[in-house]
Amino acid sequence: MEGLMTARRATVILVIFSSILSFIQTSSSQQIQILTAERRIDLTSHIVRVYLTLKVENIGTSPAAEILLAFPPTQAEHLALIKAASIEGKRKKRTIVPLDVNPTELPDTPNGAQLFSVSLQKPLNTGETVTLEVLLILTHSLEPFPTEIGQSDSQLVYYRDSAIILSPYNIIEQTTYVKTPSTKLESYTRVDPTNRAGTELKYGRYDDRSPYSFSPIIVHFENNHPFAVVEELERELEVSHWGSLQITERYKLVHAGAKHKGVFSRVEYQSRPSVSGVSSFKNLLARLPPRVHSVYYRDEIGNISTSHLRADSQKSELEIEPRYPLFGGWKSTFVIGYVLPLQDFLFESSDGRRYLNFSFGCPLVETVVDKLTIKVVLPEGSKDPFSVAPFTVEQSLERSYSYLDVVGRHVVVLKKENIVPEHTIPFQVYYKFNPIFMLAEPLMLVSVFFLLFVACIAYLHIDLSIRKS
Ligand SMILES: *[C@@H]1O[C@H](CO)[C@@H](O)[C@H](O)[C@H]1NC(C)=O
Ligand SMILES: *[C@@H]1O[C@H](CO)[C@@H](O)[C@H](O)[C@H]1NC(C)=O
């Protein structure tokens, strides 16, 4: 009897499970179609930005809660950031509603396509349409070719993609635009109709493409944008309740473009600056918060004086110049330090905790960071720290000791890979703090001086000489 019951239960579960499965499968392809798709690929920097606009229609029988996006495995691997939003209302009443995007999987997706699911704010009913905007940011996706160039050569790179947008759905109408930094285009794959005008290549319009259609293209073009990549960046933020936030940033920078070939001639570099070293860069711009002070910039040898700080009430811009211009494959290691007023970044939350609100990412403009570590050193005596970040980061806690520390300080460590400028958004570190701890160090100093003083007095008053009384 009991065996029969379990068997029956199992059948019921199986039926429910398989109907869910078939629901997922139907919702993925037959239920949805894309009426129009427009893709703009911006290749003007070394960070690739892809803007997708999709007009999606539900042609199935049940409401759809999510829309799937598909990308080739090479793109998914270099994906730094993906954002999606739906456009509600028309013209002046247009509002942009940010949506959640999460990686997902389906059985048997062709060609290793990687799927992401966009969760709609409200389910899309049968016959309804929604317009989605997707931003995709890719790093390390421009491959220098030739891989080695001379001092005054221009840098050429390959970009690989598909002329037809990869999608799990039918796309009725689609067009792709590829924007290059200059009109110097070595070659490009044609998938007719393909047109070229100035710095733009147009692929399409293509009509009625079935799910997972793919048509590989290669664009070979000139790109002399500074290929600035920070292989490792460690930012240390030290909170002092005496009013300052001390920041130390350790950079390992590399020019990730085509490798420099031959010997470097500084004479040629300086005499013909417009031609020589077109693919190199000699200065970098760091955007720092306003009211920054005590700025320094140094490398292994010592302080570098070639940095210029321009500051106003909105922002501060620090222009730094390494000791030598950076050519492809060349590296530079340096440290930037500065101090900020704590009251601009430390606040009290409604539950009495204190929190630091600071921006994530890298202050260098248009730079990729392969590995970022942020260490927030909290004052001695702070308790129960935790952080809140706008995206997934690896978090851990450490303890550090500096002079006069008794119990040591909590250090909140955040780590993330593949960082682009769009990751520069605020994060918070919350902690509890008892103000009595602020007195600990001064009291310690006072008591040390007091003891010293007592010792002196005692020394002066004790007669240590050997004399008969
Ligand atoms: C480097 O600059 C910092 C800040 O301006 C200063 O404190 C330090 O003494 C300098 N070091 C050297 C070696 O000049
Ligand atoms: C953090 O600061 C930003 C502005 O820099 C502000 O928009 C945001 O609301 C702040 N977040 C919190 C939790 O205070």
Side-chain angles (χ1 to χ4, degrees), residues 355 357 426 428 430:
Y355 71 95
N357 183 18
Q428 293 82 33
Y430 289 82

Side-chain angles (χ1 to χ4, degrees), residues 294-298 302-303:
S294 311
V295 178
Y296 67 87
Y297 164 46
R298 65 177 153 83
N303 280 352

Side-chain angles (χ1 to χ4, degrees), residues 4 43 74 138 159 176 190 239 294 311 324 356 370 375 382:
L4 195 71
L43 303 179
T74 47
L138 307 170
Y159 175 69
T176 291
R190 297 191 71 94
V239 178
S294 311
Y324 45 84
L356 180 78
D370 289 342
K375 293 189 172 178
S382 47

Side-chain angles (χ1 to χ4, degrees), residues 179-200:
K179 189 165 170 40
T180 53
S182 73
T183 50
K184 288 195 188 138
L185 212 55
E186 285 288 299
S187 66
Y188 57 94
T189 317
R190 297 191 71 94
V191 179
D192 282 327
T194 304
N195 289 299
R196 182 185 164 186
T199 56
E200 200 168 71

Side-chain angles (χ1 to χ4, degrees), residues 50 58 60 66 72 118 125 132 142 145 177 196 234 263 275 301 313 329 345 360 367 387 450:
V50 181
N58 185 352
E66 57 172 28
V118 179
N125 291 320
L132 297 183
L142 299 180
F145 190 85
Y177 300 89
R196 182 185 164 186
E234 188 187 296
V263 264
V275 209
I301 307 172
S313 60
F345 304 95
F360 201 84
T367 303
S387 61
F450 180 72

Side-chain angles (χ1 to χ4, degrees), residues 55-69:
K55 191 170 176 197
V56 178
E57 184 183 18
N58 185 352
I59 50 168
T61 47
S62 51
E66 57 172 28
I67 304 293
L68 297 179
L69 305 170

Side-chain angles (χ1 to χ4, degrees), residues 202-391:
K202 181 181 173 193
Y203 284 95
R205 197 183 84 202
Y206 305 119
D207 292 335
D208 233 335
R209 295 303 158 121
S210 52
Y212 297 108
S213 294
F214 192 81
S215 172
I217 53 165
I218 297 184
V219 184
H220 193 198
F221 61 102
E222 182 191 70
N223 188 332
N224 286 317
H225 193 275
F227 276 42
V229 173
V230 181
E231 293 180 317
E232 271 177 56
L233 168 58
E234 188 187 296
R235 302 181 80 190
E236 192 178 288
L237 280 52
E238 192 176 333
V239 178
S240 159
H241 282 163
W242 298 99
S244 68
L245 181 63
Q246 164 80 54
I247 296 167
T248 313
E249 297 173 343
R250 298 179 187 88
Y251 289 86
K252 275 189 193 156
L253 181 79
V254 65
H255 183 311
K259 298 259 179 309
H260 179 253
K261 181 171 70 177
V263 264
F264 167 60
S265 155
R266 195 177 272 275
V267 176
E268 194 195 323
Y269 183 80
Q270 275 162 352
S271 58
R272 298 164 62 216
S274 59
V275 209
S276 183
V278 273
S279 69
S280 71
F281 53 92
K282 70 170 199 290
N283 45 27
L284 292 163
L285 192 67
R287 292 231 164 86
L288 305 179
R291 309 218 284 150
V292 64
H293 64 92
S294 311
V295 178
Y296 67 87
Y297 164 46
R298 65 177 153 83
D299 63 4
E300 313 88 271
I301 307 172
N303 280 352
I304 308 178
S305 55
T306 50
S307 64
H308 309 278
L309 183 69
R310 287 183 298 269
D312 59 30
S313 60
Q314 302 299 314
K315 60 177 189 313
S316 311
E317 285 188 335
L318 177 71
E319 194 183 300
I320 56 173
E321 197 172 308
R323 287 180 200 271
Y324 45 84
L326 282 185
F327 282 89
W330 292 13
K331 299 190 182 196
S332 173
T333 306
F334 56 88
V335 179
I336 301 177
Y338 46 95
V339 178
L340 291 164
L342 190 67
Q343 82 248 38
D344 293 0
F345 304 95
L346 194 75
F347 307 95
E348 205 172 308
S349 65
S350 49
D351 63 356
R353 284 174 203 273
R354 297 181 186 219
Y355 71 95
L356 180 78
N357 183 18
F358 202 72
S359 87
F360 201 84
C362 169
L364 293 183
V365 170
E366 205 56 5
T367 303
V368 171
V369 182
D370 289 342
K371 275 190 198 150
L372 172 67
T373 306
I374 296 187
K375 293 189 172 178
V376 181
V377 184
L378 297 175
E380 197 175 28
S382 47
K383 279 198 302 196
D384 308 331
F386 65 90
S387 61
V388 177
F391 27 69

